[in-house]
Amino acid sequence: MTFGARLVQHRKNAGLSQEELSERSGVSVRAISDMERGRARSPQRRTTEALVDALDLDEPDRAELRLLARTGRIAPAGPVWSLPMYVADLVGRDEELDAIAGTSNGLVVVHGAAGTGKTSLAVRAAHLLEGRFPDGQVLIDLESSAQPLQRLLKDLGVPAEHVPEDVHGQTRLYRSLLAGKRLLLVLDGASTEEEVRTLRADPGCLTIVTSQRRLAGLTGATWVRLGGLTEPCALELLASIVGAHRVEADPGAARELVRLCGTSPLALRIAGNRLASRPRWPLGHLVEQIEERRLAALTAGDLDVRGAFEVSLAHLPETARLVFRRLGLLIGTHVTPELAAELAGTGVAEAERALEELTDVSLLDPDDRGYAIHGLVRTFATGLIDATDDDADGRMLAWLLETTVAAGVLFGQTGDARRVQARRRAFPDVATGRRWLDEHRDLLPQTVERAQARGLHEDVARAVIALSHYAAIEPGLVWERVYRLALASAREPWQEIAVRGQLGWALFDVAHRPGPALEVLTGAARIAEESGETGHLGWIRLIMSAAHSGLGQFDEAERVCLQAIESMHEPMDEHYARSVLGVLWRSMNRPIAAVTAHEEVAKEQRAYANTIYELSALGRTLGWLGLALMDVDRPDEAVEALTEAEQVYRRAHMASWLATTLWHRGLAHRAAGRLAESDEDLDRALAGFRAIGDGIGEIEILRALADNAESQGEHSAWRRHLRDSLAACERWDTDATREIAAEVRERLAGG
């Protein structure tokens, strides 16, 4: 709104003609006409005062007309420019720059943790968009500007004597100056939505806001979140500072330096500056310093990683600061409100508010598992821990172990493992409990070790025993370590027997080491017989039987397996043991007996298979039946049995066993001469094994695909699959894979 337009409006509201206003004010009719038509945009102060008195305006309208009169005298003569030079080596932010350039609503909020390069991104974007905003580009540092609105008016060319004293007047002047302009404004370091609402430029302009907070209360904004860089981009940034030749000379140290810096642009810039100023330092020397001193080593001049995080934390409520400090105790990188409540000793709702506040300042990242803390932020939190947090550590460990019990028992128990019952209900269904266990499985060794150090042995024993069936459903090398560690926490004979049974299973079935497995299991059987705690003895004997079979001791395996069947106390346990006997008979070259045993057991299991444990038992029986049917040259029936097993495993969500079933069905299709169907099943099995990180499974599938290719005369595919299997052997590098690798090399050499 111009002075002339507002004057016309006030005159007409008063019911005056130009002549009548002239008579009242003493201002000539011609002067009034020139002002109203915009030919005279900046009347003198005496003229303005005469007009506002003649119109008898109230104080707000008087102030506005005076402001419009001043504005006409101080309109900027040309474009304004107050941007700093952009960072030349900004890398890895092309998507974010495109998002800013493509915004259509005039407001972009760039938010992220300290040190992620928010200001550098905003300044680079402003420079790139210079041509779209001919009236200028202005940056205001809100963290260092006590009166940012006054600073904006100064940058827009308003002399200090023309700046109104009150904020209301300053705001009206600011808005009038921007009217019709095409200006790009960077508000750097905003802390509140209200701050942005006051200062953001008008429609037609673009305002880029940087903040550690998301500022979710702003309407109509485009949000651009900055996190760490990808490893390639982080290496590129490091090379741009220290020189590509130094990175290329020691790529391993460069990658480790990037990892220690959490791919944070600020931390990498500090590390790069230190190395650039010390050209004789190898990269490994700074890696050693950071490993020893962590955040204390990441300081260069006025750049300081710790200081940036301290600023983020300083203005948060006390509970949020307490939760953050105790996240330094966290095992892993994820935290839920329930776990945060245990750490802080507060209610869940209060803990969740604290996590949200930490997320608002980008110290945490929200995800589908709760909240995550990564990289240097985690290091910062760990450095804040002191002796007053010991009780919180104990509460967290006890909570984790009891939650493990609550999830583990959902999968069913056998033998003496049934003596472990959950003390509280933590999960509404098996699927929810399974997700929790999947997320925490690989953290169990660290959880057990820390809990043992705090004397939580009963909690440890309960947790690992409760996991017996889950472990069987999701086999992995982690279980050997878990159960070896847990032996030290088994204080009662029945606990030691159950833990030894699981360790024996892990050694035999997962690690493929029947000798050590038999040694552990024999000790468990001896303890059972000496103590009279025989509730788990049937399962100990069953795994012992499998270990004897693995050593080629088939007669002893059969004897022990029959003992196991007699020792079982529950029908479903006995059925499973009888199916294991069928597996043994197949190894003893008695395939017809094996088929009969599996068919009888499967018929009984189908009648009650509903729980995860019952479904897993049925699935294994059907899988073993399929293999036995192939032995007796009945591949089509084998495909039928394995297809039913596939359906059971899908129902039970057993990824490992599903992949194995697809593998075996691929072999059955091959035996029936259906190589296309075989390849299809093997490809699906390969994807399954890779998804769960089963190296042996991946290698065996690649060898099976090579066999199929060889059968079809596809020599190049045969060599490709064998080379891929050899690469997988070298990647996993165990005794078993080294043995397989030797066989593969021999085949390749002969082909």
Side-chain angles (χ1 to χ4, degrees):
M1 179 70 72
T2 64
F3 177 86
R6 185 65 81 189
L7 179 60
V8 171
Q9 187 179 76
H10 285 310
R11 178 175 61 76
K12 290 183 177 180
N13 288 342
L16 300 174
S17 65
Q18 289 182 345
E19 290 77 9
E20 288 170 331
L21 179 58
S22 172
E23 184 177 344
R24 284 192 182 187
S25 64
V27 179
S28 70
V29 172
R30 181 173 180 178
I32 292 173
S33 176
D34 286 345
M35 285 184 280
E36 290 187 348
R37 286 183 296 158
R39 296 184 63 183
R41 300 182 59 188
S42 307
Q44 295 297 316
R45 183 175 181 180
R46 289 193 306 274
T47 302
T48 303
E49 291 302 316
L51 290 169
V52 297
D53 287 342
L55 291 166
D56 194 24
L57 299 177
D58 59 21
E59 192 53 42
D61 286 337
R62 286 171 179 262
E64 181 191 35
L65 208 57
R66 291 167 182 150
L67 176 62
L68 291 173
R70 289 197 302 271
T71 302
R73 293 194 293 272
I74 59 178
V80 293
W81 181 273
S82 68
L83 284 181
M85 292 299 293
Y86 62 77
V87 177
D89 53 12
L90 182 74
V91 299
R93 300 304 192 193
D94 291 344
E95 288 186 13
E96 291 83 356
L97 287 169
D98 289 344
I100 295 173
T103 188
S104 58
N105 53 22
L107 178 62
V108 178
V109 179
V110 180
H111 63 103
T116 51
K118 299 180 292 294
T119 302
S120 297
L121 175 68
V123 171
R124 170 65 69 86
H127 281 280
L128 292 175
L129 297 173
E130 177 180 351
R132 284 169 46 182
F133 298 95
D135 293 312
Q137 294 82 33
V138 178
L139 182 143
I140 295 294
D141 182 355
L142 298 178
E143 293 179 345
S144 61
S145 297
Q147 296 177 310
L149 191 52
Q150 289 188 21
R151 172 64 188 275
L152 267 174
L153 291 172
K154 178 181 177 182
D155 284 350
L156 291 171
V158 179
E161 63 271 18
H162 290 151
V163 175
E165 294 183 0
D166 64 299
V167 173
H168 182 68
Q170 293 171 9
T171 302
R172 296 176 72 145
L173 176 58
Y174 174 55
R175 294 293 167 208
S176 67
L177 290 174
L178 291 186
K181 299 291 184 183
R182 296 283 296 164
L183 181 82
L184 191 151
L185 173 65
V186 178
L187 300 176
D188 189 34
S191 57
T192 67
E193 288 91 345
E194 186 57 34
E195 195 172 30
V196 176
R197 293 187 189 104
T198 300
L199 300 175
R200 66 176 291 183
D202 288 355
C205 301
L206 175 63
T207 303
I208 304 176
V209 179
T210 72
S211 178
Q212 289 188 31
R213 296 180 178 272
R214 188 172 186 270
L215 303 179
L218 293 172
T219 57
T222 295
W223 283 271
V224 176
R225 182 188 175 281
L226 287 193
L229 299 170
T230 63
E231 183 182 278
C233 289
L235 288 169
E236 182 184 347
L237 174 58
L238 183 63
S240 71
I241 301 171
V242 306
H245 65 285
R246 294 177 75 179
V247 171
E248 293 167 359
D250 195 348
R255 285 193 296 272
E256 182 63 12
L257 183 57
V258 163
R259 185 189 69 80
L260 290 171
C261 288
T263 69
S264 159
L266 174 61
L268 286 165
R269 196 167 297 285
I270 291 171
N273 289 351
R274 292 196 68 189
L275 288 166
S277 64
R278 297 163 176 82
R280 295 182 181 276
W281 272 19
L283 270 62
H285 181 67
L286 182 56
V287 167
E288 292 173 1
Q289 284 198 352
I290 297 175
E291 287 177 335
E292 292 173 3
R293 298 167 53 205
R294 298 313 298 258
L295 294 184
L298 289 172
T299 302
D302 61 352
L303 298 178
D304 178 14
V305 172
R306 186 192 300 276
F309 292 145
E310 287 173 344
V311 169
S312 300
L313 197 60
H315 302 296
L316 292 177
E318 181 179 351
T319 300
R321 295 198 303 272
L322 174 64
V323 168
F324 180 79
R325 184 178 85 235
R326 289 183 174 170
L327 289 180
L329 298 167
L330 196 64
I331 296 176
T333 60
H334 286 82
V335 62
T336 61
E338 293 79 10
L339 181 51
E342 294 293 330
L343 283 168
T346 66
V348 174
E350 187 176 1
E352 186 165 21
R353 281 195 299 274
L355 294 173
E356 282 294 313
E357 288 162 343
L358 292 167
T359 301
D360 283 345
V361 297
S362 301
L363 289 172
L364 296 181
D365 296 324
D367 59 23
D368 58 357
R369 295 164 59 183
Y371 302 83
I373 181 170
H374 293 295
L376 296 176
V377 178
R378 170 67 182 271
T379 301
F380 176 53
T382 302
L384 300 177
I385 292 297
D386 58 35
T388 63
D389 300 307
D390 283 354
D391 289 345
D393 191 41
R395 285 197 307 271
M396 176 190 70
L397 293 165
W399 185 88
L400 286 171
L401 292 169
E402 186 55 34
T403 304
T404 300
V405 172
V409 298
L410 295 174
F411 292 83
Q413 301 296 304
T414 51
D416 270 345
R418 293 186 174 97
R419 294 165 73 166
V420 176
Q421 297 296 321
R423 291 170 177 161
R424 58 184 174 83
R425 179 178 173 81
F427 300 99
D429 50 45
V430 175
T432 308
R434 182 176 194 144
R435 281 196 299 272
W436 193 89
L437 289 176
D438 289 347
E439 292 162 4
H440 291 81
R441 177 178 59 235
D442 293 337
L443 304 176
L444 274 168
Q446 185 181 356
T447 304
V448 168
E449 286 183 314
R450 278 180 49 181
Q452 288 174 327
R454 293 200 172 275
L456 300 175
H457 295 292
E458 177 68 15
D459 300 83
V460 167
R462 283 170 44 78
V464 299
I465 291 171
L467 286 170
S468 58
H469 278 187
Y470 171 77
I473 290 169
E474 296 292 343
L477 296 177
V478 69
W479 298 117
E480 179 183 350
R481 186 178 176 200
V482 167
Y483 287 109
R484 281 197 186 281
L485 288 169
L487 276 175
S489 292
R491 293 297 196 259
E492 299 180 38
W494 74 269
Q495 293 176 334
E496 184 175 356
I497 295 163
V499 173
R500 280 180 172 270
Q502 285 302 110
L503 176 57
W505 162 80
L507 288 167
F508 169 75
D509 207 35
V510 181
H512 310 293
R513 293 157 60 196
L518 189 58
E519 183 179 348
V520 169
L521 294 162
T522 300
R526 184 176 61 253
I527 295 169
E529 290 163 355
E530 291 174 353
S531 66
E533 292 280 11
T534 58
H536 211 68
L537 186 56
W539 286 94
I540 297 297
R541 287 172 171 164
L542 191 64
I543 307 169
M544 286 176 66
S545 169
H548 280 299
S549 176
L551 293 170
Q553 301 166 358
F554 298 118
D555 290 340
E556 182 64 11
E558 184 178 27
R559 184 187 69 81
V560 175
C561 190
L562 290 170
Q563 284 184 331
I565 293 171
E566 293 176 0
S567 304
M568 292 300 185
H569 300 294
E570 298 289 335
M572 67 180 71
D573 299 347
E574 180 193 339
H575 295 157
Y576 187 81
R578 283 165 49 200
S579 196
V580 171
L581 180 61
V583 175
L584 176 59
W585 282 339
R586 179 170 171 257
S587 300
M588 297 172 72
N589 200 26
R590 296 166 58 186
I592 295 176
V595 168
T596 300
H598 293 317
E599 286 179 335
E600 290 175 353
V601 171
K603 182 178 180 180
E604 293 170 342
Q605 289 174 327
R606 287 189 189 102
Y608 58 78
N610 287 302
T611 67
I612 293 289
Y613 166 52
E614 293 162 356
L615 289 169
S616 68
L618 172 59
R620 287 181 221 187
T621 298
L622 291 166
W624 292 330
L625 173 59
L627 293 174
L629 286 166
M630 280 192 278
D631 289 343
V632 296
D633 197 25
R634 292 154 62 182
D636 290 332
E637 293 177 66
V639 167
E640 289 180 13
L642 291 164
T643 299
E644 185 182 355
E646 176 196 12
Q647 294 166 352
V648 168
Y649 287 139
R650 289 193 186 282
R651 183 179 168 192
H653 304 287
M654 295 174 62
S656 174
W657 288 93
L658 175 59
T660 300
T661 299
L662 292 171
W663 169 22
H664 292 161
R665 193 172 68 184
L667 300 181
H669 277 303
R670 179 201 296 169
R674 294 185 289 267
L675 290 178
E677 290 87 341
S678 177
D679 279 343
E680 182 180 351
D681 272 346
L682 292 175
D683 284 337
R684 292 166 62 198
L686 180 62
F689 282 129
R690 283 175 171 168
I692 62 177
D694 187 330
I696 295 294
E698 176 185 358
I699 293 162
E700 292 296 354
I701 296 298
L702 288 166
R703 296 172 76 190
L705 285 167
D707 291 339
N708 280 7
E710 186 176 34
S711 297
Q712 298 173 80
E714 297 177 358
H715 190 70
S716 61
W718 173 79
R719 293 190 67 84
R720 185 179 73 253
H721 290 314
L722 286 181
R723 285 172 176 165
D724 287 348
S725 71
L726 186 59
C729 287
E730 293 170 351
R731 188 168 66 250
W732 291 100
D733 193 29
T734 65
D735 291 340
T737 60
R738 284 191 287 272
E739 184 177 335
I740 295 172
E743 296 175 9
V744 172
R745 289 190 186 96
E746 186 176 345
R747 287 186 67 182
L748 285 168

